Amino acid sequence: MHGNLHPSWHQLLNSEFRAPYFKNLQAFVNQEYDEHQCFPLKSQIFAAFDHCLFNETKVVIIGQDPYHGPGQANGLCFSVNDGIALPPSLMNIFKELQADEQKPIPKSGNLEKWACQGVLLLNATLTVRAHSAGSHQGKGWETFTDAVISKLSQEKEGLIFLLWGGKAQKKVKLIDTQKHRVLTTGHPSPLSANRGYWFGNKHFSKTNEILKNLGLTTINW
């Protein structure tokens, strides 16, 4: 399941891949993909790591589940494949980006271009059964992705973690806030955004300001 993972991540995560919980998780995922339609494609389960290498990671955005509709999920949180209508949360992300950085709303919701600039777009759960939100939660993915966050915090310096919504904000306990910057705001879902918890957070310009101050290349959002 993780055979094609880039060596920079393999070295960091080998102990997780060998752990009993991960072997159980792998067996569960393989069975689910054999017996049901699941997302993303099996080849895209670790796409967040394929597009954003460990040594290039500068920003971490934490999502929840992959999209569970046909053709949507591509292994990057909040991102959809080219040609797919923008889901409401992603549309709100783009609206905030438009207001913050004066960027036009893109026609495509594929966020690979962010990932390739050092933005790790990590869902807490990396797979889901079609039309069944949360169906792969509690099977081991959270243990794995929590380990990813912890190891990033331990091994790197000066990362920027964007924690959107209550579930993502609980991950702050895994982050050394003396070494890294954490920006929090509401979730971009309509329920949260329409109550005033998302718009106006300016996380895109704030992230680039921090990167500039660190002497790093900014993100072309």
Side-chain angles (χ1 to χ4, degrees), residues 106-122:
K107 291 191 173 128
S108 172
N110 191 334
L111 302 181
E112 283 181 12
K113 73 167 193 173
W114 292 9
C116 292
Q117 297 176 77
V119 182
L120 183 67
L121 295 162
L122 182 68

Side-chain angles (χ1 to χ4, degrees), residues 85-122:
L86 300 180
S89 290
L90 184 55
M91 177 59 84
N92 283 338
I93 289 170
F94 285 156
K95 284 179 180 176
E96 175 59 24
L97 176 59
Q98 182 182 46
D100 184 19
E101 292 265 279
Q102 292 73 56
K103 295 268 187 181
I105 291 177
K107 291 191 173 128
S108 172
N110 191 334
L111 302 181
E112 283 181 12
K113 73 167 193 173
W114 292 9
C116 292
Q117 297 176 77
V119 182
L120 183 67
L121 295 162
L122 182 68

Side-chain angles (χ1 to χ4, degrees), residues 61-64 78 162-172 183-189 192 197-198 201 203:
I61 300 178
I62 300 171
Q64 296 172 22
F78 295 108
L162 306 184
L163 305 185
W164 297 344
K167 288 186 178 178
Q169 287 168 28
K170 287 178 181 174
K171 305 294 184 184
V172 74
L183 301 181
T184 62
T185 189
H187 195 274
S189 68
S192 171
Y197 299 134
W198 166 256
N201 63 66
H203 275 195

Side-chain angles (χ1 to χ4, degrees), residues 133-154:
S135 50
H136 289 185
Q137 291 178 3
K139 304 297 183 181
W141 277 130
E142 296 91 342
T143 303
F144 174 74
T145 54
D146 279 1
V148 172
I149 296 166
S150 293
K151 288 173 188 286
L152 281 167
S153 176
Q154 291 161 17

Side-chain angles (χ1 to χ4, degrees), residues 30-39 129-130 136:
N30 286 336
Q31 184 174 357
E32 283 285 292
Y33 274 74
D34 286 344
E35 297 179 0
H36 306 279
Q37 186 180 27
C38 295
F39 302 118
R129 193 188 293 186
H136 289 185

